[in-house]
Amino acid sequence: MKEKLRASLIDSLNTKKPLIGVATGSGFSAKQAVAGGADFLLVLNAGLFRNAGVSTLGSLLPFANSNEMVLKTGYREILPHAGETPVIYGVCATD
Protein backbone atom coordinates (compact mmCIF):
# COMPACT_ATOMS: atom_id res chain seq x y z
CA MET A 1 0.00 0.00 0.00
CA LYS A 2 2.82 2.43 0.82
CA GLU A 3 4.43 1.89 -2.58
CA LYS A 4 1.12 2.60 -4.29
CA LEU A 5 0.72 5.79 -2.25
CA ARG A 6 4.29 6.86 -3.00
CA ALA A 7 3.80 6.20 -6.72
CA SER A 8 0.59 8.22 -6.70
CA LEU A 9 2.30 11.20 -5.02
CA ILE A 10 5.25 11.05 -7.40
CA ASP A 11 2.89 10.86 -10.37
CA SER A 12 1.03 13.94 -9.12
CA LEU A 13 4.29 15.85 -8.79
CA ASN A 14 5.56 14.75 -12.21
CA THR A 15 2.33 15.70 -13.95
CA LYS A 16 2.10 18.96 -11.99
CA LYS A 17 -1.23 18.03 -10.44
CA PRO A 18 -1.93 19.83 -7.18
CA LEU A 19 -1.39 17.96 -3.93
CA ILE A 20 -3.94 18.63 -1.23
CA GLY A 21 -2.54 18.94 2.28
CA VAL A 22 -4.72 19.62 5.29
CA ALA A 23 -3.43 21.24 8.47
CA THR A 24 -5.27 19.45 11.24
CA GLY A 25 -5.57 20.31 14.89
CA SER A 26 -7.68 17.39 16.04
CA GLY A 27 -8.52 13.81 15.29
CA PHE A 28 -11.94 14.82 13.99
CA SER A 29 -10.51 17.14 11.34
CA ALA A 30 -7.90 14.51 10.41
CA LYS A 31 -10.63 11.89 9.98
CA GLN A 32 -12.64 14.22 7.75
CA ALA A 33 -9.57 15.18 5.69
CA VAL A 34 -8.68 11.53 5.07
CA ALA A 35 -12.28 10.73 4.12
CA GLY A 36 -12.19 13.69 1.72
CA GLY A 37 -9.10 12.35 -0.04
CA ALA A 38 -6.33 14.59 1.30
CA ASP A 39 -2.91 13.66 -0.09
CA PHE A 40 -1.19 14.40 3.22
CA LEU A 41 -1.87 15.80 6.68
CA LEU A 42 0.02 18.54 8.48
CA VAL A 43 0.23 18.68 12.25
CA LEU A 44 0.99 22.27 13.22
CA ASN A 45 0.94 24.19 16.46
CA ALA A 46 -1.34 26.75 14.78
CA GLY A 47 -3.97 24.06 14.25
CA LEU A 48 -4.21 23.50 17.98
CA PHE A 49 -4.86 27.18 18.58
CA ARG A 50 -7.42 27.41 15.77
CA ASN A 51 -9.30 24.44 17.26
CA ALA A 52 -9.41 26.27 20.57
CA GLY A 53 -10.94 29.32 18.86
CA VAL A 54 -7.75 31.39 19.05
CA SER A 55 -6.23 33.15 16.06
CA THR A 56 -3.35 31.42 14.30
CA LEU A 57 -1.18 34.30 15.50
CA GLY A 58 -1.57 32.87 19.01
CA SER A 59 0.79 30.08 17.97
CA LEU A 60 3.59 32.63 17.69
CA LEU A 61 3.35 33.61 21.35
CA PRO A 62 5.58 31.93 23.96
CA PHE A 63 2.77 29.83 25.42
CA ALA A 64 4.48 26.45 25.81
CA ASN A 65 6.92 24.17 24.02
CA SER A 66 5.26 24.00 20.61
CA ASN A 67 7.13 20.86 19.56
CA GLU A 68 5.82 18.93 22.55
CA MET A 69 2.30 20.12 21.82
CA VAL A 70 2.55 19.10 18.15
CA LEU A 71 4.08 15.69 18.88
CA LYS A 72 1.50 14.83 21.55
CA THR A 73 -1.42 15.93 19.39
CA GLY A 74 -0.10 14.11 16.35
CA TYR A 75 0.47 10.89 18.27
CA ARG A 76 -2.79 10.89 20.23
CA GLU A 77 -5.23 12.42 17.77
CA ILE A 78 -3.96 12.54 14.20
CA LEU A 79 -2.09 9.27 13.63
CA PRO A 80 -4.98 7.02 14.75
CA HIS A 81 -7.15 8.54 11.98
CA ALA A 82 -4.51 8.97 9.27
CA GLY A 83 -4.54 5.42 7.95
CA GLU A 84 -2.14 5.30 5.00
CA THR A 85 -2.18 9.10 4.52
CA PRO A 86 1.28 10.62 5.13
CA VAL A 87 1.56 12.88 8.18
CA ILE A 88 4.02 15.77 8.28
CA TYR A 89 4.86 17.37 11.60
CA GLY A 90 5.72 21.06 11.66
CA VAL A 91 8.33 21.74 14.30
CA CYS A 92 9.87 24.93 15.64
CA ALA A 93 13.66 25.06 15.57
CA THR A 94 13.81 27.37 18.61
CA ASP A 95 11.92 24.94 20.88
Side-chain angles (χ1 to χ4, degrees), residues 20 29 56 58 60-61 63 78 92:
I20 306 299
S29 59
T56 301
L60 300 175
L61 298 172
F63 175 72
I78 309 304
C92 179

Side-chain angles (χ1 to χ4, degrees), residues 6-64:
R6 179 177 290 173
S8 174
L9 290 174
I10 290 172
D11 181 57
S12 291
L13 292 172
N14 288 337
T15 58
K16 300 187 189 284
K17 292 180 185 173
L19 292 176
I20 306 299
V22 179
T24 59
S26 72
F28 180 75
S29 59
K31 185 176 181 179
Q32 297 303 313
V34 169
D39 293 309
F40 61 93
L41 301 175
L42 292 167
V43 184
L44 304 172
N45 193 28
L48 300 172
F49 283 87
R50 287 193 310 270
N51 263 1
V54 178
S55 167
T56 301
L57 291 175
S59 67
L60 300 175
L61 298 172
F63 175 72

Side-chain angles (χ1 to χ4, degrees), residues 73-84:
T73 301
Y75 181 73
R76 285 185 297 179
E77 296 190 33
I78 309 304
L79 287 179
H81 299 288
E84 294 293 320

